[in-house]
Amino acid sequence: MTSISIAHRPASVRPSPSIAAKALVTKLRAEGRRIIDLTVGEPDFVTPRSIMDAAQAAMRAGDTHYTASNGTKSLRQAAANKLMRENGLSYTPDDIVIGSGAKQLIQTALAATLNPGDEVIVPAPYWVSYPDLATLSDGVPVVVACTEEAGFKLLPSQIEAAITSRTKWLVLNSPNNPSGAVYSIAELTALGEVLARHPQVLVMTDEIYEHFIYDGERAISFGRAVPALLERTLTINGVSKAYAMTGWRIGYAAGPRVLAQAMTSLLSQSTTCPSSISQAAALSALSGDQTFVVEARRAYQTRRDRAVSLLDAIPGIACRRPEGAFYAYPNVAGLIGRRTPDGTWIESDLDLSQLLLREGGVSVMDGTSYGLSPYLRVSFATSLETIETGCAAIARVVATLD
């Protein structure tokens, strides 16, 4: 048999835990099990009809060919208009890169800038892919734990302590997946004051959940809060979450032109360009009526309030109210060290998540996958009925613990 030698890169990264959880739910359902899925990191809504109509119109018009590697100029202009209109950030189309999802743009930016051994500061809890994407580009993720007492947010003293001569990037995600933490303008300004003393550090700000901030609050872009650092800030966003377009795979990045050009060069040799049809749909999303986003935010706030109320009422679970995104991140320290009816000890949040799936038929993510334990990530990007049924199942399993 032919022996295939695999390079170090696949072995250096983990498969995405959230994608693996989704695959497991699909597998168990195919086997006939009834699974309540609270892992999902995507809206349960259907893409708005006006956006689908725009895609169909593009196809009928023959807009089915390659585009520029950094995306169509019309979509880059729409992204620039959006960033000025909603975020107060001034960019031209040449400063913007369209990619096949925000994740691709994050990976491409890291690949374009990291040399072996360069460090990427990643506050925890973090989106599961940040450390692995840094590793994939021969970087070194430096994880900094952000405590619940600090609102799951990075403190200026922590970033000062984490920066070394090898630091290349700080990754900020606000609103945060999985905690729902949202940085205020004062908190971003304080971080900026530290970063100003370290000119070699670039800032990657992932704002994909910006439209889902609750209780009347609004998102503040890092570049708006700290304009002096805009020349070394890369703003990541996309249409997946805000417009229920996860399957369309369109993200956009805005930053220094030299970085945009380097990213475009890499993209030209990977995907060539994003889907022309999806770009037409994204153009409609960014330029069209925004009523859908407002209504989705309202629905998520109702779901958040219900999920937090139900989770917080379960003995052994304490659930902080997330300020944004569509996840709750309940503290399950009160359940660690307890015993199941068959005599198995719950030693971690991973043990607990597996127990909930096995005995309760409810799938949630463990906090270990997000770099901070002991927590669970519970998605409320699903119906109220599913939230209520899932939380009831969690309560029933917890009640059996000794």
Side-chain angles (χ1 to χ4, degrees), residues 63 84 109 158 160 168 175 210 239 248 255 265 268 302 330 346 364 372 375 400:
D63 189 8
M84 172 56 73
Q158 290 179 299
E160 185 74 77
K168 179 62 70 73
E210 65 165 338
V239 298
W248 297 80
S265 179
S268 73
T302 299
I346 302 297
V364 298
L372 195 67
Y375 296 89
T400 68

Side-chain angles (χ1 to χ4, degrees), residues 7 11-12 24 59 73 95 124 135 144 151 153 173 194 236 248 271 281 289 319 334 340 345 352 366 381:
S12 68
L24 179 58
M59 287 187 283
K73 186 171 183 179
D95 304 321
T135 300
V144 179
K153 299 175 191 178
N173 176 211
V194 175
I236 301 287
W248 297 80
T271 51
D289 182 80
C319 190
T340 68
W345 294 98
L352 180 60
D366 59 280

Side-chain angles (χ1 to χ4, degrees), residues 317-340:
I317 295 181
C319 190
R320 180 185 178 90
R321 185 179 300 274
E323 302 163 271
F326 40 61
Y327 313 101
Y329 201 56
N331 186 320
V332 294
L335 301 178
I336 305 302
R338 296 176 70 175
R339 188 171 54 186
T340 68

Side-chain angles (χ1 to χ4, degrees), residues 102-298:
K103 181 188 283 189
Q104 183 191 41
L105 293 170
I106 293 169
Q107 190 276 326
T108 302
L110 295 175
T113 55
L114 292 178
N115 291 311
D118 284 348
E119 295 171 352
V120 179
I121 298 175
V122 181
Y126 48 69
W127 177 48
V128 294
S129 292
Y130 294 140
D132 290 294
L133 292 177
T135 300
L136 191 61
S137 294
D138 294 326
V140 179
V142 177
V143 175
V144 179
C146 302
T147 66
E148 185 173 354
E149 291 72 23
F152 298 116
K153 299 175 191 178
L154 184 67
L155 301 175
S157 58
Q158 290 179 299
I159 188 174
E160 185 74 77
I163 291 175
T164 72
S165 61
R166 300 305 303 269
T167 304
K168 179 62 70 73
W169 285 99
L170 164 66
V171 178
L172 283 179
N173 176 211
S174 176
N176 176 260
N177 172 12
S179 71
V182 177
Y183 286 84
S184 69
I185 188 168
E187 290 164 337
L188 293 174
T189 300
L191 294 177
E193 290 174 354
V194 175
L195 291 166
R197 299 194 289 271
H198 301 277
Q200 85 278 12
V201 182
L202 306 174
V203 182
M204 183 182 296
T205 173
D206 182 350
E207 302 179 3
I208 195 76
Y209 294 98
E210 65 165 338
H211 288 292
F212 303 132
I213 297 179
Y214 309 115
D215 305 315
E217 299 297 323
R218 291 181 60 85
I220 301 293
S221 289
F222 181 84
R224 177 73 179 272
V226 193
L229 299 187
L230 191 62
E231 63 184 15
R232 50 182 164 119
T233 297
L234 183 68
T235 301
I236 301 287
N237 212 319
V239 298
S240 292
K241 312 298 183 179
Y243 304 97
M245 294 177 67
T246 51
W248 297 80
R249 308 310 306 134
I250 293 293
Y252 55 93
R257 191 166 302 176
V258 63
L259 177 55
Q261 291 171 342
M263 292 171 64
T264 299
S265 179
L266 291 181
L267 290 171
S268 73
Q269 293 291 4
S270 57
T271 51
T272 299
C273 64
S275 160
S276 61
I277 300 162
S278 293
Q279 289 188 73
L283 175 61
S284 172
L286 293 180
S287 304
D289 182 80
Q290 302 296 301
T291 301
F292 173 83
V293 177
V294 175
E295 293 175 346
R297 178 169 58 245
R298 187 179 301 121

